[in-house]
Amino acid sequence: MKRLSGLLRASFSGMACMTALSLCVPAEAAPQPESLQVPPGFHISVVTDQVPNARELARGARGTIFAGTRAVGKVYAITGVDGGGPVVVRTIAEGLTLPVGVAYHDGDLYVSDSQRIVVLRDIENHLDKPPRPETVAGNLPYRIGDHSWKFIAFGPDNRLYVPIGAPCNICDVGHDFGKIISMAPDGTDRRDVAFGIRNTVGFTWQPGSGTMWFTDNGRDNMGDDMPSDELDRLDTPGQSFGYPYCHQGNVPDPEFGKQHACSEFTPPALLLGAHVAALGLRFYEGTQFPAAYHGNLIIAEHGSWNRSQLAGYQVVNVAFGADGKPMTPKVLVGGFRQGQHAWGRPADVLPLPDGSVLISDDLSGALYRLSYGGAAPTP
């Protein structure tokens, strides 16, 4: 995700501000599903447009969809998405600071705050009267600046993974920031997992191998086409991916690049494009989509601000070659922008048990369902 101060310079009309947080966010735009473009055989429809600023998504054991937010400080629970009843959106927490991340684990919902992780216990039994958030991990590294919002997820090792973003566009913060950490579900046993990461707002684990993959947003103010956002793969705990010394695996930083050579760091597995703001990603394990999509990564590209011509604002599909390496991204859902005007910004993707995929859009405050085959869903 690119800096909010830069977003003010993008071509959005109407702003809503939260002075207590010194934040402004684009006013909600109406979703335009008729403008969205998908490959032949796919369909996309609006599940609900009542989730303002929706960001990371998680699914509970009973099918409840949870959505974090950024500037509005709320967490939502959406029921009825799997069918069997009307879609209902509830606010289950509010007054939090940048609660982007949501992760469901053993009946509890974990939520990120800028300086802590809180949990809502036994949440699916208390949607109408949610419990007060309980802090399970406080005193997370924090410095006033950019990238203190956090995408969170539980890994196959039953540990909670949390990013500690760089508090700046570009700065040298050693190993205190610009990393991913993990911890036990009760917040203890914190461990550093990976370093040299400017701002990841999406990570997931590959089925079978358990390998961790994550997106990383490149620095700003180096021009329209430099550096690229990255898709990275963690093979060994403790790897460093270059920030702030090296970008996209082969571009020394103008200010810090002389301190360390790019060869000292792990290069990205794939370049996603400059300023596309790649955020949430998931592997597709369903069977509804054609076989060519099975095992692929689906990535939400939130969209640029630091570029003279907008880029991103789409959902892409990344297939893997016979050698296991990711291939060039292909657009799976386009049309969130027309030229220099954007009405939607994809933030996360979430495959569902039936094989369809949910997409959150924090600009229009909507959730979309991407499906394949049969008749198009009724709006």
Side-chain angles (χ1 to χ4, degrees), residues 9-354:
R9 297 191 289 274
S11 58
F12 303 118
S13 61
M15 301 295 290
C17 296
M18 300 181 63
T19 55
L21 294 177
S22 298
L23 293 173
C24 292
V25 295
E28 295 295 322
Q32 301 177 26
E34 69 281 357
S35 298
L36 295 176
Q37 301 143 13
V38 296
F42 283 88
H43 310 287
I44 192 160
S45 60
V46 176
V47 174
T48 175
D49 60 0
Q50 301 299 310
V51 281
N53 200 217
R55 296 285 297 228
E56 185 180 355
L57 302 175
R59 184 179 182 275
R62 299 180 188 174
T64 307
I65 302 300
F66 300 100
T69 66
R70 190 163 171 242
V72 301
K74 296 182 179 182
V75 179
Y76 305 107
I78 304 99
T79 54
V81 175
D82 288 350
V87 174
V88 176
V89 180
R90 298 171 174 87
T91 298
I92 56 172
E94 54 189 327
L96 298 171
T97 305
L98 306 175
V100 165
V102 287
Y104 183 86
H105 181 70
D106 286 348
D108 301 329
L109 184 70
Y110 289 71
V111 180
S112 66
D113 196 285
S114 62
Q115 301 179 62
R116 61 182 178 145
I117 304 296
V118 301
V119 64
L120 305 177
R121 300 291 186 191
D122 194 25
I123 186 59
E124 287 189 291
N125 284 322
H126 300 92
L127 295 178
D128 291 317
K129 192 176 180 180
R132 292 178 61 86
E134 168 192 333
T135 299
V136 294
N139 300 314
L140 296 176
Y142 176 77
R143 186 183 298 174
I144 295 175
D146 298 340
H147 314 134
S148 58
W149 50 91
K150 296 169 173 57
F151 179 105
I152 60 176
F154 277 89
D157 55 2
N158 201 41
R159 294 176 61 84
L160 179 65
Y161 286 72
V162 179
I164 308 296
C168 55
N169 172 36
I170 187 72
C171 57
D172 193 346
V173 291
H175 281 177
D176 293 333
F177 294 86
K179 63 182 179 180
I180 299 173
I181 66 174
S182 74
M183 62 186 72
D186 63 1
T188 62
D189 189 27
R190 299 185 193 181
R191 305 174 190 172
D192 289 335
V193 174
F195 303 99
I197 301 162
R198 179 178 177 270
N199 182 35
T200 178
V201 195
F203 41 80
T204 191
W205 288 264
Q206 193 164 21
S209 70
T211 302
M212 185 182 191
W213 293 76
F214 60 93
T215 55
D216 190 15
N217 288 183
R219 66 157 290 178
D220 299 316
N221 302 322
M222 283 183 65
D224 273 6
D225 301 313
M226 193 70 67
S228 178
D229 282 3
E230 299 175 9
L231 174 64
D232 293 317
R233 183 185 67 219
L234 181 70
D235 295 311
T236 305
Q239 284 175 275
S240 181
F241 293 84
Y243 178 88
Y245 313 107
C246 179
H247 308 292
Q248 68 173 48
N250 58 7
V251 176
D253 184 76
E255 183 175 354
F256 298 104
K258 293 182 179 179
Q259 298 181 29
H260 293 278
C262 286
S263 59
E264 297 179 37
F265 305 107
T266 301
L270 183 67
L271 299 183
L272 298 173
H275 308 299
V276 298
L279 302 189
L281 74 167
R282 299 292 196 287
F283 281 95
Y284 184 76
E285 300 180 67
T287 58
Q288 185 185 114
F289 290 6
Y293 291 88
H294 297 179
N296 293 1
L297 270 171
I298 301 175
I299 305 174
E301 294 185 351
H302 198 230
S304 63
W305 72 265
N306 188 230
R307 200 169 190 276
S308 62
Q309 299 295 312
L310 297 185
Y313 301 92
Q314 59 192 9
V315 176
V316 300
N317 168 65
V318 174
F320 291 80
D323 58 1
K325 295 182 179 180
M327 302 169 68
T328 302
K330 294 184 178 180
V331 178
L332 184 58
V333 184
F336 288 99
R337 67 176 175 90
Q338 286 80 42
Q340 288 293 90
H341 172 74
W343 60 264
R345 307 192 81 188
D348 197 15
V349 295
L350 181 67
L352 296 179
D354 68 356

